[in-house]
Amino acid sequence: MSNKFIGKSIKRIEDKRFTTGKGRYTDDIVLPGMTHAYMLRSPYAHARINRIDTSEAETMEGVVAIITGEEVSHYSVPCGWQVNFKNGDTMKEPPHPLLVKDKVRHVGDAVAMVIAETREQAQDAAEAIIVDYEVLPAVVNAAEAVKDGAPLVHDDVPNNICFDWEIGNPKAEVDEAMDGAHHITSLEFVNQRLSPNAMEPRSYIGHYDSVYDKYTLYTSTQNPHLIRLLMCAFVLGLPEHKVRVVGPDVGGGFGSKIYHYTEEALVTVAAKKINRPVKWTETRSEAFQTDAHGRDHVTHAEMGFDAAGKIVGLRIKTFANLGAYLSTFSTAVPTYLHGTLLQGLYTTPKIHLDMTCAFTHTTAVDAYRGAGRPEATYLLERLMDLAAHEMDMDPAELRLKNFIPPFDGVEQPGYQTNVALQYDSGNYHGVLERGLQMLGYEDFRKAQQEAAQTGKLLGVGFSTYIEACGIAPSAVVGSLGARAGLYEVGQVRVQPTGKVSVFTGAHSHGQGHETTFAQVVADRLGIPMEDVDIIHGDSDTVAFGMGTYGSRSLAVGGSAIMKSLDKIIEKGAKIAAHKLECSEEDIVFADGKFTVTGTDRSLGFGDIALTAYVPHVYPQNLEPGLDFSSFYDPKNFTYPYGCHICVVEVDKETGETKVKRFIAVDDVGTVINPMIVDGQIHGGLAQGIGQALMEGVEYDETGQLINGSYMDYTMPRADDFPMFELDRQETPCPHNPLGVKGAGEAGCIGSTPAAVNAVIDALWSGGFKVKDIKMPLTSERVWRAMN
Ligand code: MCN
C-alpha cells in the first residue's frame, strides 16, 4: 500500500459544500405536497392527563390532521440494550409511547402532533388544544429517586430502579484490600447532565408512496440502517424492504442522533395516514427538552493506596439517571461503556463498581460524546490528583508509579483488566512523559510557587485516560445484551473506467469520512483521490450498516472497506495473470499496477477495471465485474489513550478561572489524516473543558428545565480557550488492517478532569485544601469554595 495520502493533512473534500452554504440537510428538502408538523409538549414534569380536547384546533385554518396518544397507543419504542439486575432479573422496561395519553413524565413529553399546510398554522392549532393536566410531584435526581416514598415515574417500577448492576472483583475482596490500605482518598461528586447541542436541530420527513407502497424517512440521524431496523422490526412493524431511510447531510450529533426518536416513527405513520409528506423540525428549545442528554451520575468513590503510593483498591457506588424513558443505548452507557473502563491506565488489583440506574422525571439520558468513558475517566483522574495532594506526592509521579507497563499486543499480549476488557496495545508512560516535557513541568512548579507568594493562584491538572472505542465485536456486545450486531459493511464498486464508488454503512455528520476514507482507498488502489467517491447515508443505496458512534467508523467501517479492497485486488490479479500469461502467484500489486514479479511487464488498475467488464477476454470461471461487499466484525475494541494537562489561573477575588494552557498528547494508533484528527481532538477538548467550567443542564425540584436556551445554558466559545497544544504518539492497533484506533471522542474523555484538577491545584497552592467543587466550576462556586 503506497502512502501518498495516508498520514497527510489533506483538506476536507466535503468542506466545499459546507463552507459555502451548499450542504443539503433534511430541513432543506422540500417534497411536492409536503405538510408541516408541530408537537404539542407537556409544560409539566409529571402530570396526569384528564382530558385532551382537539375540537377547536381541528377546525383551524390549514390543519390537515391531529394525532393524539389514543391513535398510536399500540406503538412503543424499545431500548436497544438489555441489562439484567444483579440477581439476574431482566431490567424494567416500561413502554415508551409515541405520544402520551395518560401521564406525562418530563417537561417536553409529547401529547399531540398537529399537521398543517404550514408550520405556523400547525403551531397555532397546537396552542388551541386544551389539555387538562393534574400536576403531580416530580423527582429529578437519581440518588433521590430510589428512596422510599419518592414519586414514581412508572407505577410498576418500584423505587424507580430500572436495574442494579455490578462489575469487577468480588466486593468482599475489594473491601479487604481497602481495609489494608495505608491511605484512602474518597470523593463524593456529581458528573452533571449535559445537553448535546448539535448545530442542526433534529429534523424528519415522512413520505409514503401509495403507488409502490413504499415509505421514505429523511432523518438527521447518525445511522440510517439502524433506524430502519428499529422502526420496522420493533416499533411500527413495517416491511423492511418497503422502507427507505435517508440520512442526508447531518449537522453534528455528538451521540444525540444515534437513537430512534418517537417523532421519526410519527412522521412515517402520519405520511401514510394523510397520504402526503410530513416534515417536522424541532426548535432549539425542543432540542434542549427532548434530545437525549448525557452523563448525570451521582458517585461516591474511594481509592486505596499502600505506603509507597501504589493503588491497592477502588470502590465505587454510583446512581445513574436514565431520565423518564429508556433511549436506544441508555442502559449500556453507565454499565458496559463505563464500568469496563474503571481500570484506567493503572494496575489497580481490586476494583468494584456498584451501579444503580434510575428513572426520573427528566429527559432521557443516553450517549453524549464519550458516553460512560468520560465519567470513568473523571472519577479516576479526580481521585488520582486529589490523592497526590492528600499524600503530598507529585501527581505525575503517582501516575507513573501505577501505570500498566508498555505492551504492543503482538510480542507482549494485550492487558487483561479486572473489569472485563483486554486492552490492545499501549505505552502510557510515553504520553505522560511527553506531556510533562511540553509543559516544562519543573519550571511550571517553580512559577506556581512564586505566583503563590504574590497571592496569584496558578494550577496544573493532569488526566491520563483510556477509552474503548471502535465499538463492535458483535460477539462481545451481543453477550453483554446488545439487541443487534455491531459490525460494519463496506462495498467497493470499481466502475469500468477505473473510477471507484465506495458504499459505507458508517455515517459522516462532521467527521470527514468523505476525505479520510477516500485517502485509504486511493492509497490501497494506487489511484488519485478524485477517482474515489464515498457514498453513505441511504439505506436504498448502501447495502447495510450500523452507523457512526463510539469512534468506530474508521476502525470498523474503514476495515470493512479494506476487506473489499483486498477482494478487488485478488480478482484483479487473476485477470492480470491471464492477460500477462503468467501464474497468479507471480503477480504483485503496488502503486496502481499489477506487475509480473521481477519483470517490467505490468497492467494498470484502469486497464484491469475495464477488462473486468469484458468477460470474453479473461478466465471463464470468473464472474464479470469488479464489485465486492464485506462485513467486518473486529476481534476487539480499540483503546486510544492519552495525557491531557491543563494550566489555569484562578482569580482569588472573584473565583474566575482562565485556562492558560491546554496540552493534549493522544495515541489514536496510525493516523490517516492528522489535520482531521487534530480537528476532532480540538472539538472534543472544547466540549470536555466546557463541561468542567461552563455547561450543565439544570432542573429545579419540580422538574422544570431552568436553563433550556442559549440565554442560560453556557456553551464554550473560541475565546474561552488558549491555542491547544497537541502532540501524538502512534502505537498501532494490532488487530485491524489499518492499525487505527478511534479519535472522535478522545478530546472529550480526557479533558474534563484535567480542567477541574487544575482549579483544585490552584486552590491548594493558595492554601485552600478543597476536595471538590461541583461542575461546572463557575466563578461563584470557586469563590464559595475559597470562602
Ligand atoms: N481518523 C484518522 N485517524 C485515526 C482515527 C480517526 O484519520 N487514527 C479520522 C477518521 O477517518 C474520521 C475521524 O478521524 O474522519 C473520526 O474517526 P473515528 O474516530 O473513527 O470516529 P467516527 O468517525 O466513528 O465518529 C464518531 C465520533 C463520535 S462517537 C462523536 S460523539 C463525534 C465525533 O465522532 N461526533 C461528532 N466527532 C464529531 N465531529 C463532528 N464534527 N460532529 C459530531 O457530531
Side-chain angles (χ1 to χ4, degrees):
M1 184 148 152
S2 76
N3 266 9
K4 201 167 155 205
F5 304 113
I6 290 181
K8 306 279 180 331
S9 289
I10 310 272
K11 282 196 181 159
R12 301 195 344 164
I13 295 166
E14 47 272 77
D15 280 357
K16 190 170 174 201
R17 67 177 189 278
F18 294 146
T19 56
T20 54
K22 300 275 174 10
R24 217 170 297 146
Y25 301 89
T26 301
D27 197 51
D28 295 324
I29 298 170
V30 177
L31 300 178
M34 192 167 78
T35 61
H36 298 265
Y38 184 86
M39 306 299 297
L40 179 66
R41 299 188 180 279
S42 167
Y44 304 111
H46 191 198
R48 190 168 291 117
I49 297 175
N50 290 327
R51 186 173 65 100
I52 301 181
D53 183 351
T54 59
S55 51
E56 190 192 334
E58 276 161 28
T59 64
M60 287 175 64
E61 194 187 342
V63 172
V64 179
I66 297 178
I67 300 178
T68 57
E70 195 60 50
E71 186 175 339
V72 289
S73 62
H74 47 300
Y75 300 126
S76 171
V77 180
C79 182
W81 199 296
Q82 182 183 312
V83 178
N84 293 336
F85 277 83
K86 282 184 205 163
N87 69 8
D89 288 355
T90 310
M91 68 183 189
K92 303 283 182 191
E93 190 175 356
H96 183 179
L98 301 191
L99 291 167
V100 178
K101 63 170 185 172
D102 48 3
K103 215 180 192 198
V104 289
R105 295 185 167 85
H106 68 93
V107 166
D109 217 356
V111 172
M113 181 192 225
V114 181
I115 302 162
E117 299 297 340
T118 69
R119 185 177 158 142
E120 293 68 28
Q121 288 171 333
Q123 180 168 359
D124 285 347
E127 282 162 11
I129 296 177
I130 297 163
V131 186
D132 177 8
Y133 291 107
E134 181 186 334
V135 180
L136 300 167
V139 63
V140 298
N141 173 302
E144 297 298 320
V146 301
K147 291 184 181 160
D148 287 340
L152 289 185
V153 182
H154 302 277
D155 293 341
D156 51 356
V157 180
N159 290 81
N160 294 309
I161 298 175
C162 178
F163 60 88
D164 60 16
W165 186 83
E166 62 185 340
I167 192 167
N169 305 89
K171 172 85 170 28
E173 287 180 19
V174 180
D175 289 344
E176 197 188 327
M178 298 298 275
D179 288 346
H182 169 76
H183 175 83
I184 293 181
T185 289
S186 67
L187 193 57
E188 281 191 50
F189 62 90
V190 174
N191 198 311
Q192 86 275 29
R193 181 184 279 248
L194 299 174
S195 167
N197 289 306
M199 221 190 284
E200 179 209 17
R202 290 188 293 124
S203 180
Y204 310 128
I205 303 172
H207 176 254
Y208 176 69
D209 183 333
S210 58
V211 176
Y212 293 94
D213 184 27
K214 181 142 188 178
Y215 299 83
T216 302
L217 171 68
Y218 297 89
T219 162
S220 52
T221 184
Q222 299 180 211
N223 26 248
H225 295 85
L226 197 59
I227 298 305
R228 184 179 64 164
L229 177 62
L230 286 167
M231 201 165 73
C232 292
F234 300 104
V235 184
L236 300 181
L238 300 176
E240 203 176 354
H241 63 303
K242 291 285 188 186
V243 178
R244 175 182 174 207
V245 175
V246 185
D249 282 335
V250 172
F254 306 111
S256 69
K257 292 174 183 167
I258 302 174
Y259 326 116
H260 182 33
Y261 285 91
T262 50
E263 295 90 351
E264 288 175 307
L266 278 169
V267 293
T268 306
V269 168
K272 180 164 185 186
K273 176 185 160 95
I274 64 168
N275 203 14
R276 287 175 65 182
V278 179
K279 179 191 275 184
W280 172 78
T281 300
E282 70 182 353
T283 60
R284 183 56 67 183
S285 302
E286 284 180 294
F288 273 107
Q289 288 176 12
T290 64
D291 291 8
H293 291 159
R295 321 280 190 257
D296 208 343
H297 286 192
V298 179
T299 294
H300 180 221
E302 297 162 287
M303 195 177 251
F305 296 85
D306 69 13
K310 286 281 277 182
I311 306 169
V312 295
L314 175 65
R315 188 166 54 195
I316 306 150
K317 172 68 210 172
T318 289
F319 295 92
N321 197 337
L322 299 175
Y325 304 105
L326 295 184
S327 170
T328 310
F329 288 127
S330 56
T331 50
V333 175
T335 53
Y336 296 106
L337 289 172
H338 171 69
T340 53
L341 270 305
L342 290 168
Q343 187 82 46
L345 298 178
Y346 311 115
T347 54
T348 312
K350 301 287 175 193
I351 301 171
H352 185 264
L353 165 69
D354 181 353
M355 171 65 80
T356 303
C357 291
F359 291 107
T360 61
H361 294 103
T362 61
T363 300
V365 180
D366 206 316
Y368 166 64
R369 202 171 199 173
R373 294 154 285 162
E375 294 90 311
T377 304
Y378 188 75
L379 183 159
L380 292 171
E381 296 308 296
R382 288 294 323 284
L383 283 171
M384 286 304 272
D385 263 31
L386 184 61
H389 281 302
E390 289 180 351
M391 296 191 291
D392 200 18
M393 291 178 75
D394 183 90
E397 262 170 44
L398 184 64
R399 286 178 170 81
L400 289 167
K401 197 183 284 240
N402 282 288
F403 276 160
I404 295 161
F407 61 105
D408 62 10
V410 183
E411 300 287 316
Q412 303 96 6
Y415 183 84
Q416 181 59 49
T417 71
N418 293 314
V419 275
L421 300 179
Q422 193 182 47
Y423 295 164
D424 53 357
S425 60
N427 173 3
Y428 310 138
H429 295 74
V431 286
L432 176 53
E433 280 158 5
R434 176 69 188 126
L436 292 173
Q437 199 182 36
M438 287 166 72
L439 172 66
Y441 191 35
E442 280 180 26
D443 290 346
F444 171 81
R445 285 295 185 199
K446 275 190 214 134
Q448 183 183 34
Q449 276 173 6
E450 284 164 20
Q453 278 155 17
T454 64
K456 205 163 127 185
L457 303 178
L458 283 184
V460 63
F462 293 92
S463 165
T464 46
Y465 73 92
I466 187 161
E467 56 154 324
C469 64
I471 299 292
S474 297
V476 177
V477 296
S479 71
L480 300 179
R483 288 170 170 164
L486 283 180
Y487 37 77
E488 196 45 272
V489 181
Q491 182 182 4
V492 179
R493 177 176 300 155
V494 181
Q495 312 287 359
T497 53
K499 310 291 180 195
V500 180
S501 305
V502 177
F503 303 86
T504 171
H507 183 281
S508 189
H509 38 277
Q511 292 89 348
H513 298 167
E514 289 166 41
T515 308
T516 48
F517 288 12
Q519 287 178 259
V520 169
V521 174
D523 264 354
R524 183 74 181 109
L525 297 181
I527 58 176
M529 275 180 68
E530 305 82 84
D531 287 2
V532 182
D533 194 20
I534 305 294
I535 297 152
H536 65 93
D538 185 340
S539 69
D540 265 12
T541 315
V542 180
F544 197 61
M546 296 310 293
T548 287
Y549 39 85
S551 303
R552 68 192 303 271
S553 302
L554 182 61
V556 191
S559 297
I561 294 170
M562 283 294 281
K563 217 172 147 184
S564 290
L565 290 169
D566 287 346
K567 294 177 189 172
I568 298 276
I569 291 164
E570 195 186 319
K571 183 168 176 184
K574 285 192 172 62
I575 300 172
H578 183 78
K579 285 188 84 174
L580 292 165
E581 297 176 330
C582 69
S583 105
E584 199 186 316
E585 288 71 45
D586 289 339
I587 296 286
V588 283
F589 180 72
D591 297 327
K593 282 190 201 144
F594 293 90
T595 306
V596 185
T597 330
T599 74
D600 59 359
R601 292 170 58 224
S602 64
L603 289 170
F605 179 74
D607 194 335
I608 293 300
L610 190 59
T611 310
Y613 288 87
V614 188
H616 55 275
V617 301
Y618 61 82
Q620 282 159 4
N621 57 355
L622 281 184
E623 277 177 38
L626 205 48
D627 187 341
F628 287 101
S629 186
S630 309
F631 280 64
Y632 176 79
D633 199 345
K635 291 200 196 82
N636 195 353
F637 303 98
T638 71
Y639 298 89
Y641 58 91
C643 165
H644 291 182
I645 301 176
C646 181
V647 175
V648 297
E649 185 178 335
V650 176
D651 187 321
K652 220 175 185 171
E653 304 304 319
T654 64
E656 193 193 356
T657 298
K658 278 217 161 60
V659 180
K660 305 298 279 184
R661 291 180 71 187
F662 202 100
I663 295 163
V665 184
D666 299 282
D667 189 335
V668 300
T670 308
V671 171
I672 302 300
N673 186 320
M675 183 195 66
I676 286 183
V677 170
D678 282 357
Q680 288 291 313
I681 302 283
H682 278 214
L685 293 179
Q687 286 170 307
I689 306 168
Q691 172 173 20
L693 304 180
M694 289 161 236
E695 294 185 46
V697 170
E698 299 282 348
Y699 286 100
D700 70 10
E701 66 284 358
T702 69
Q704 278 305 324
L705 175 58
I706 57 174
N707 60 347
S709 88
Y710 287 136
M711 295 291 283
D712 303 304
Y713 188 98
T714 316
M715 288 288 286
R717 296 162 191 231
D719 68 355
D720 290 316
F721 304 121
M723 283 305 287
F724 296 133
E725 300 167 57
L726 305 190
D727 198 9
R728 263 191 292 276
Q729 181 177 279
E730 285 195 23
T731 312
C733 171
H735 64 76
N736 67 47
L738 292 163
V740 296
K741 302 180 180 184
E745 294 161 289
C748 200
I749 290 171
S751 53
T752 310
V756 175
N757 284 339
V759 176
I760 302 276
D761 185 59
L763 265 49
W764 278 65
S765 80
F768 304 102
K769 300 202 167 175
V770 171
K771 272 174 90 126
D772 184 44
I773 304 173
K774 194 173 175 233
M775 291 192 289
L777 273 59
T778 57
S779 44
E780 182 192 339
R781 285 179 180 161
V782 176
W783 184 88
R784 283 185 190 280
M786 286 189 285
N787 291 276

